[in-house]
């Protein structure tokens, strides 16, 4: 049986929240904003920009990457912090 402490829950919530915001949340905002769905500015034949995305693709990518970095930092934390003895063995020892 493993227990989750406050750092575990905070890391899971923050990383999941950032990735969901970057992928799903901002994607829904782009869809609700309407055409164009292109991640780059659309130009006409003369080279003038006629439409741009509402949210920059660099911003969306950055938010998702920050979520992945949080997961990486959490993994490094779990590697550095030792596991308590009772969780490693799976049972508690009773003193005589």
């Amino acid at each position: 049986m493993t227990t989750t402490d406050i750092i575990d829950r905070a890391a899971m919530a923050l990383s999941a929240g950032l990735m969901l915001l970057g992928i799903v949340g901002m994607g829904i905002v782009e869809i609700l904003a309407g055409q164009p769905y292109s991640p780059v500015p659309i130009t006409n034949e003369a080279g003038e920009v006629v439409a741009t995305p509402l949210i920059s693709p660099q911003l969306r990518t950055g938010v998702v990457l920050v979520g992945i970095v949080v997961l990486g930092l959490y993994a490094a934390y779990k590697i550095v912090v030792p596991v308590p003895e009772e969780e490693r063995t799976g049972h508690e020892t009773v003193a005589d």
Side-chain angles (χ1 to χ4, degrees), residues 38 40-52:
S38 173
V40 294
I42 297 174
T43 58
N44 62 11
E45 294 163 1
E48 297 174 285
V49 175
V50 293
T52 58

Side-chain angles (χ1 to χ4, degrees), residues 63-75:
V63 170
V64 173
L65 286 177
V66 169
I68 293 171
V69 167
V70 169
L71 278 180
L73 291 173
Y74 172 64

Side-chain angles (χ1 to χ4, degrees), residues 31-93:
I31 289 171
L32 292 176
Q35 299 282 343
Y37 299 123
S38 173
V40 294
I42 297 174
T43 58
N44 62 11
E45 294 163 1
E48 297 174 285
V49 175
V50 293
T52 58
L54 180 66
I55 300 172
S56 167
Q58 290 85 5
L59 177 66
R60 290 181 70 182
T61 304
V63 170
V64 173
L65 286 177
V66 169
I68 293 171
V69 167
V70 169
L71 278 180
L73 291 173
Y74 172 64
Y77 162 77
K78 290 305 270 186
I79 290 171
V80 171
V81 174
V83 178
E85 183 64 35
E86 63 248 7
E87 284 186 22
R88 234 180 292 154
T89 59
H91 66 281
E92 295 181 24
T93 56

